[in-house]
């Protein structure tokens, strides 16, 4: 087996918060989180709000510094804090992130082509002609048409914007793509198109996915392995198919049973409070 | 057959134009729907389908300059013709609305108690003591035990799930005949959604309150309603029984929506609907779904199909009969 692409060991992240009376308090966003992602693999971080899944993704992306534990990418430890521009640039070539909101993550004044080309200019030596060809092939790869190249985000639908964000991330040919709820804001008919595109993309490019999502149906389609998180801790981990077909942890079971599906009825867990 | 009782809510050939940059823009083409007393209907659609505008039209909460044709009748009376006084009474006591994001609809500088008691005390004229007692009882029935303390708290001190239960309690407090719930759980986690939906469903049934449940989640709507109306581009594409629409869908759009849902039990290349959801003003003279439909014919592009009865469904598709059984619906209920 080749060396893992990404390895996290005992990662912990705390934030300082103030409680209602103004006292300093520590909020543990993630604690004891360990996992390994193989080259070209796909790992889901699954959980509800406050589970710590996005915190872990942001640590891997270098947007947060872990309070404890280590994150190794391609055998190199990701140290937190300020780093030189050269290091930042090198890291950008390794890891890219796509965010949930395609309305907030694109520059409204930039055309689709300019947005992708800017990244190419920053990271590669090729001339204009090379860049133009590369932009065209990237847009094609994410399922956008030629006519979209000259449009600004305002003219694009949510699904198209998210494709642009993915094309921009792929421009540097990263080893790892972090997708943070990247299809959650899309309508179901459009979401299905983007899911199919992502599956195809990983097969053809070999880029690995760290896929943050609360949606177990999407996770099933896109990832091979998954990590179920609850209140900052990993409660269950394993191949996605095993975890979803035979959930061992009570929280995973609860999460699965809460998903609406044909024949499903919502069940109430808190009782009606009778007069005390 | 017993004669159908007078419906509680009737939408009759509803058409809505909103004013955008001075020009009128069609947002609802033709919506007709009936809700019986105590009945729950799900209004399901993607963004831009017109489902929220339909709810706002029912409440007469459309922006200035909007033009409405057709009729909205509540208990046989036209809502569109209500005078200011009757309209206030209608909004305060007949219909209650639950929105997607409770935090955006509760005044952050007023307490939960202020919010809950405003309706009963100011609109209905109950005494503050009576209203408080009723509010505490209701908070308990939606699973909030320490109700007196909660009444003194501010919205930011409550979680999203708790806050939405407060909103449900406020909606029930007015003893309305109809609840309009517009994506009430979309902002919530899935486990919290289950809890909030169970409470809303349970309390609504116990009190015999009718509900129009607006959502993009077909399975969620099916679980808490009797019938589903699927909307696309400002039009009702299909109405059918909630319990088995996932097997009996007759409209290609309904079938497409069902097939596009990612399964938690199988891995497959998802069946997609090409293109993106279009808005009402973008559609041509034919069927609103024609530009994305796999079964489109010349007739579909030229002539808009009317909503008509077929078996126990209503469907707006020229080819509904011939396409029956050819829409690629899953054979079993498994997802």
């Amino acid at each position: 087996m080749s060396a893992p692409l990404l390895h996290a060991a005992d990662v912990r992240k705390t934030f300082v918060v103030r409680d209602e009376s103004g006292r300093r308090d520590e909020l543990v966003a993630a604690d004891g989180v360990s996992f390994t992602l193989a080259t070209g693999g796909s790992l889901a971080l699954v959980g509800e709000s406050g589970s710590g899944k996005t915190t872990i993704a942001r640590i891997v992306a270098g947007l947060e510094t872990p309070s404890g534990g280590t994150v190794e990418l391609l055998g190199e430890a990701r140290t937190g804090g300020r780093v030189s521009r050269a290091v930042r640039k090198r890291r950008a070539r390794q890891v890219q992130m796509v965010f949930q909101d395609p309305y907030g993550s694109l520059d409204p004044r930039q055309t689709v082509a300019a947005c992708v080309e800017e990244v190419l200019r920053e990271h590669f030596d090729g001339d204009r002609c090379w860049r133009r060809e590369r932009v065209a092939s990237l847009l094609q790869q994410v399922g956008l048409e030629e006519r979209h190249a000259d449009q600004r985000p305002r003219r694009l639908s949510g699904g198209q914007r998210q494709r642009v964000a993915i094309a921009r991330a792929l421009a540097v040919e990263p080893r790892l793509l972090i997708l943070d709820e990247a299809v959650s804001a899309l309508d179901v008919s459009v979401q299905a198109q983007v899911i199919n595109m992502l599956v195809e993309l990983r097969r053809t490019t070999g880029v690995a996915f760290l896929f943050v999502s609360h949606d177990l149906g999407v996770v099933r389609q896109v990832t091979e392995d998954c990590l179920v998180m609850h209140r900052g801790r990993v409660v269950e981990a394993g191949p996605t198919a095993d975890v979803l077909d035979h959930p061992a942890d009570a929280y995973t079971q609860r999460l699965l049973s809460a998903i609406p599906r044909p024949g499903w009825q919502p069940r109430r867990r808190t009782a009606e409070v009778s007069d005390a | 057959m017993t004669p159908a009782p007078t419906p509680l809510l009737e939408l009759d050939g509803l058409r809505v134009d909103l004013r955008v940059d001075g020009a009128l823009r069609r947002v609802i083409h033709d919506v007709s729907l009936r809700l019986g007393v105590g009945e729950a209907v799900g209004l399901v659609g993607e963004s831009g389908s017109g489902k929220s505008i339909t709810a706002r039209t029912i409440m007469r909460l459309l922006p200035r300059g909007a033009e409405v044709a057709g009729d909205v009748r509540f208990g046989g009376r036209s809502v569109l013709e209500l005078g200011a006084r009757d309209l206030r009474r209608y909004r305060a006591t007949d219909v209650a609305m639950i929105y997607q994001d409770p935090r955006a609809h509760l005044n952050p500088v007023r307490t939960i108690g202020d919010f809950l008691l405003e309706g009963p005390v100011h609109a209905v004229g109950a005494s503050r003591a009576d209203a408080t007692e009723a509010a505490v009882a209701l908070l308990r029935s939606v699973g909030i035990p320490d109700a007196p303390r909660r009444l003194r708290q501010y919205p930011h001190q409550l979680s999203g799930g708790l806050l939405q239960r407060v909103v449900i309690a406020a909606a029930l407090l007015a003893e309305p005949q109809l609840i309009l719930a517009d994506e009430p759980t979309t902002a919530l986690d899935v486990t919290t959604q289950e809890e909030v939906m169970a409470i809303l469903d349970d309390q609504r049934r116990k009190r015999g309150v009718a509900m129009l449940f607006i959502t993009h989640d077909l399975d969620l709507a099916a679980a808490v309603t009797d019938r589903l109306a699927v909307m696309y581009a400002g039009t009702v594409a299909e109405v059918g029984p909630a319990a088995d629409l996932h097997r009996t869908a007759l409209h290609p759009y309904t079938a497409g929506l069902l097939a596009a849902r990612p399964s938690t039990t199988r891995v497959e290349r998802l069946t997609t609907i090409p293109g993106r959801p279009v808005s009402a003003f973008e559609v041509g003279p034919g069927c609103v779904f024609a530009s994305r439909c796999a079964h489109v014919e010349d007739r579909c592009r030229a002539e808009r199909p009317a909503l008509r009865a077929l078996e126990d469904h209503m469907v707006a598709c020229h080819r509904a009969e011939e396409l029956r059984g050819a829409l690629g619906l899953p054979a079993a209920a498994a997802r």
Side-chain angles (χ1 to χ4, degrees):
Chain A
M1 204 192 120
S2 59
L5 175 69
L6 175 68
H7 182 67
D10 208 14
V11 174
R12 176 181 167 88
K13 177 72 187 176
T14 59
F15 293 100
V16 173
V17 291
R18 291 191 185 278
D19 66 10
E20 275 175 34
S21 51
R23 273 193 301 270
R24 264 170 73 97
D25 203 0
E26 201 172 59
L27 179 100
V28 181
D31 194 16
V33 177
S34 303
F35 59 87
T36 299
L37 174 57
T39 302
S42 55
L43 175 72
L45 297 179
V46 175
E48 298 185 296
S49 45
S51 64
K53 59 188 192 300
T54 293
T55 299
I56 294 296
R58 289 177 62 86
I59 288 171
V60 172
L63 297 170
E64 301 280 359
T65 308
S67 316
T70 54
V71 174
E72 271 179 29
L73 191 76
L74 292 159
E76 187 190 341
R78 297 222 105 183
T79 48
R82 283 178 164 275
V83 290
S84 70
R85 186 178 154 79
V87 172
R88 261 211 334 262
K89 220 165 144 174
R90 184 160 51 80
R91 285 181 178 176
R93 289 288 300 274
Q94 297 167 344
V95 185
Q96 283 288 314
M97 189 155 174
V98 175
F99 298 90
Q100 171 169 4
D101 177 19
Y103 290 83
S105 58
L106 298 175
D107 184 340
R109 290 162 305 180
Q110 226 174 11
T111 65
V112 168
C115 160
V116 179
E117 200 194 342
E118 184 181 29
V119 178
L120 294 174
R121 208 166 39 230
E122 188 68 26
H123 288 277
F124 298 94
D125 294 329
D127 59 9
R128 256 187 85 182
C129 186
W130 173 84
R131 286 199 301 266
R132 200 167 326 163
E133 270 175 38
R134 187 82 186 102
V135 168
S137 92
L138 281 162
L139 295 186
Q140 195 189 5
Q141 209 165 21
V142 297
L144 287 169
E145 291 162 39
E146 243 171 82
R147 64 186 170 89
H148 293 127
D150 298 322
Q151 292 181 349
R152 291 192 167 72
R154 182 164 45 92
R155 297 273 307 275
L156 303 176
S157 67
Q160 287 166 341
R161 286 173 201 229
Q162 208 56 311
R163 289 173 196 263
V164 175
I166 294 166
R168 179 178 59 185
L170 289 174
V172 298
E173 297 158 38
R175 302 291 298 276
L176 174 64
L177 193 58
I178 302 172
L179 298 141
D180 188 0
E181 300 279 9
V183 299
S184 305
L186 306 178
D187 277 317
V188 62
S189 70
V190 173
Q191 187 189 60
Q193 298 166 7
V194 178
I195 290 171
N196 286 344
M197 185 269 284
L198 285 172
V199 170
E200 187 66 19
L201 196 68
R202 195 168 71 83
R203 200 177 59 77
T204 53
T205 65
V207 65
F209 286 170
L210 187 64
F211 194 82
V212 178
S213 179
H214 71 280
D215 187 326
L216 294 173
V218 176
V219 162
R220 182 88 195 226
Q221 306 307 313
V222 177
T223 66
E224 283 158 5
D225 298 289
C226 80
L227 218 62
V228 183
M229 296 187 64
H230 184 46
R231 294 181 181 165
R233 292 189 161 271
V234 176
V235 296
E236 188 159 3
T240 304
D242 291 355
V243 171
L244 298 190
D245 288 343
H246 310 288
D249 180 80
Y251 176 71
T252 314
Q253 290 167 2
R254 166 110 176 75
L255 209 52
L256 270 163
S257 74
I259 300 172
R261 53 197 177 276
W264 173 84
Q265 285 292 320
R267 267 179 45 217
R268 193 169 168 171
R269 286 162 210 261
T270 54
E272 207 170 312
V273 187
S274 53
D275 281 311
Chain B
M1 262 179 80
T2 49
T6 311
L8 180 68
L9 176 75
E10 293 166 277
L11 308 181
D12 199 358
L14 201 62
R15 193 178 74 212
V16 179
D17 296 274
L18 296 185
R19 207 165 281 280
V20 180
D21 298 330
L24 285 177
R25 178 176 276 188
R26 177 75 31 101
V27 287
I28 300 284
H29 281 290
D30 180 8
V31 170
S32 296
L33 196 66
R34 276 150 191 262
L35 233 86
V37 173
E39 190 188 19
V41 171
L43 204 53
V44 180
E46 297 182 286
S47 41
S49 63
K51 53 193 195 299
S52 291
I53 291 289
T54 302
R56 289 184 160 268
T57 310
I58 295 167
M59 288 300 266
R60 265 181 69 182
L61 285 172
L62 291 173
R64 198 181 296 269
E67 287 188 9
V68 181
D71 204 1
V72 177
R73 283 188 298 276
F74 187 86
R77 284 177 81 190
S78 171
V79 172
L80 302 180
E81 284 162 13
L82 291 180
R85 195 191 176 87
D86 287 340
L87 181 61
R88 208 158 48 234
R89 185 186 303 274
Y90 166 73
R91 286 179 182 153
T93 62
D94 291 338
V95 186
M97 189 133 183
I98 300 172
Y99 295 94
Q100 173 172 347
D101 182 4
R103 244 172 256 286
H105 287 274
L106 262 60
N107 188 335
V109 298
R110 300 187 60 201
T111 63
I112 301 299
D114 288 340
F115 168 69
L116 278 170
L117 303 183
E118 184 181 9
V121 173
H122 293 104
V124 184
S127 79
R128 204 170 165 90
D130 287 352
T132 305
E133 196 178 317
V136 166
L138 254 168
L139 286 177
R140 287 187 169 147
S141 63
V142 298
I144 301 179
D146 42 358
R149 180 170 74 94
R150 295 297 184 189
L151 288 178
R152 292 191 301 272
Q153 287 187 315
Y154 290 89
H156 77 270
Q157 293 170 302
L158 274 66
S159 70
L162 216 49
L163 215 50
Q164 200 59 305
R165 286 194 235 172
V166 169
V167 174
I168 291 171
L172 295 168
L173 198 56
E175 296 176 9
Q177 289 179 271
L178 172 66
I179 290 176
L180 295 182
D182 189 356
E183 302 265 12
T185 58
T186 304
L188 305 176
D189 278 324
V190 62
T191 54
T192 314
Q193 164 173 283
E194 181 178 19
E195 184 77 29
V196 169
M197 277 322 301
I199 289 167
L200 178 57
D201 187 46
D202 175 45
Q203 293 296 319
R204 179 196 76 75
R205 281 173 201 276
K206 268 187 196 153
R207 292 157 206 263
V209 184
M211 174 167 75
L212 190 63
F213 183 70
I214 295 162
T215 179
H216 65 282
D217 189 333
L218 211 144
D219 290 316
L220 179 65
V224 295
T225 59
D226 307 304
R227 288 184 299 140
L228 294 181
V230 178
M231 281 191 76
Y232 186 79
T235 311
V236 176
E238 180 165 7
V239 183
D244 63 1
L245 189 70
H246 62 280
R247 282 186 283 111
T248 60
L250 293 170
H251 197 286
Y253 176 62
T254 314
L257 262 190
L258 287 163
R261 300 169 304 171
S263 160
T264 58
T265 55
R266 279 185 326 255
V267 179
E268 62 207 329
R269 189 173 169 82
L270 298 174
T271 312
T272 63
I273 306 174
R276 61 177 175 86
V278 298
S279 300
F281 71 94
E282 296 174 294
V283 300
C287 172
V288 293
F289 189 54
S291 65
R292 301 177 76 195
C293 184
H295 308 281
V296 65
E297 287 183 335
D298 287 347
R299 187 184 170 197
C300 306
R301 295 195 187 90
E303 189 190 323
R304 183 158 303 156
L307 193 64
R308 62 201 166 90
L310 180 58
E311 296 169 352
D312 53 352
H313 291 226
M314 300 282 285
V315 62
C317 173
H318 292 309
R319 304 190 62 199
E321 284 87 352
E322 19 166 351
L323 291 175
R324 206 154 20 162
L327 292 173
L329 289 170
R335 242 187 93 184

